[in-house]
DNA sequence: ATAAAAACAATAATAGTTATTATTTTTAAA
DNA sequence: TTTAAAAATAATAACTATTATTGTTTTTAT
């Protein structure tokens, strides 16, 4: 079992902030937004808690090719799309888990606990602009 | 159309090296191996060519949560598994592309050109050891 | 209230990667 | 087969994202 966490104002603010956002902010964006309410919060605290929370499965970490990680306060099964043009990350609401786990169990003999599926290409808005 | 690349010994060596490996080395590992044959090759050259080649689709870049990127000389449709215990990255040979693109086309209106699916958990070897 | 554990802010340090610059290599045309 | 432009290089500096350290503050169970 996981050790219980002690309450902290900073961690609660991070979770609350993520829940208000649909756009998967980076650590830096979380930090600069939280500073409005908690002027003394430090960037290290933001990183530490984002890692802690994603390790515990309370939020999702989204890694896109070398750029800064993005974080998602919603953990229900869904996937992400990263636009090569504007760099934005958006949700794709679908659940392939069963399908994927069925198939992968025929092809792999380790223990799979997670999967992340990231799409990339050009988003609707950027297509229009061009 | 993509501009043609000028030939370079260094780039060729990088491609050749990746084709000999099934274990998806990082830039650093590519670099230290190539130095045996090309003692003057620089790490910047390795990074530049790995990025160039993956942008052109000649190799694959595999990003796992903040750690160094891994590269794969084989580009046929297949997926990857990253072990939380030993950090190794291995192949999962299956192709879900059609299935996935079918489903995602119902759920997204941008232009998707790629997807990457990364599994994680504990690999066969690490399971045995524990 | 108090003491141990946890979390913190501030900041230094690190890892991975990209940019700069002067030099060398490649390639196509004279 | 020289030659000149374009591309690629090595060396190295710089940068970005992230983690580690340290001394202080906050939380929580007693």
């Amino acid at each position: 079992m996981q050790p219980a966490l002690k309450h902290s104002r900073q961690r609660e603010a991070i979770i609350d902030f993520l829940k208000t956002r649909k756009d998967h902010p980076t650590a830096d964006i979380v930090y600069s937004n939280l500073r409005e309410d908690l002027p003394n919060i430090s960037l290290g605290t933001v990183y530490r808690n984002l890692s802690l929370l994603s390790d515990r499965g309370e939020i999702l970490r989204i890694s896109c090719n070398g750029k800064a990680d993005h974080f998602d306060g919603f953990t229900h099964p869904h996937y992400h799309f990263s636009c090569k043009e504007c760099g934005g990350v958006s949700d794709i609401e679908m659940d392939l888990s069963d399908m994927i786990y069925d198939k992968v169990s025929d092809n792999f003999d380790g223990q799979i606990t997670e999967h992340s599926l990231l799409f990339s290409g050009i988003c609707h808005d950027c297509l229009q602009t061009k």
Side-chain angles (χ1 to χ4, degrees), chain A:
Chain A
M1 189 48 200
Q2 311 204 65
L5 297 180
K6 251 182 202 179
H7 176 263
S8 99
R9 251 158 36 92
Q10 292 85 343
R11 183 160 50 240
E12 193 166 325
I14 290 169
I15 296 171
D16 288 350
F17 175 69
L18 282 180
K19 296 276 185 208
T20 69
R21 303 269 296 217
K22 288 270 179 199
D23 68 340
H24 318 94
T26 59
D28 215 61
I29 290 173
V30 173
Y31 172 64
S32 54
N33 277 272
L34 292 192
R35 292 229 295 177
E36 293 167 17
D37 283 340
L38 300 171
N40 291 327
I41 196 171
S42 99
L43 184 55
T45 296
V46 173
Y47 272 107
R48 180 164 29 76
N49 281 294
L50 288 172
S51 292
L52 188 62
L53 291 168
S54 57
D55 287 349
R56 297 172 67 95
E58 297 183 40
I59 63 174
L60 294 179
R61 180 194 294 265
I62 308 159
S63 299
C64 333
N65 290 352
K67 302 299 167 193
D69 286 352
H70 293 249
F71 295 88
D72 188 340
F74 300 93
T75 57
H76 67 278
H78 70 283
Y79 300 109
H80 295 103
F81 171 83
S82 155
C83 178
K84 290 181 177 178
E85 200 77 15
C86 64
V89 176
S90 52
D91 287 321
I92 297 186
E93 292 293 345
M94 64 182 186
D95 183 2
L96 297 172
S97 308
D98 292 346
M99 199 187 255
I100 288 177
Y101 283 118
D102 266 10
K103 186 105 181 195
V104 76
S105 63
D106 301 337
N107 291 275
F108 188 74
D109 60 356
Q111 181 178 62
I112 290 177
T113 54
E114 289 146 59
H115 70 282
S116 80
L117 173 54
L118 179 67
F119 294 91
S120 51
I122 304 179
C123 72
H124 183 73
D125 286 358
C126 288
L127 280 176
Q128 303 252 293
T129 310
K130 300 224 291 191

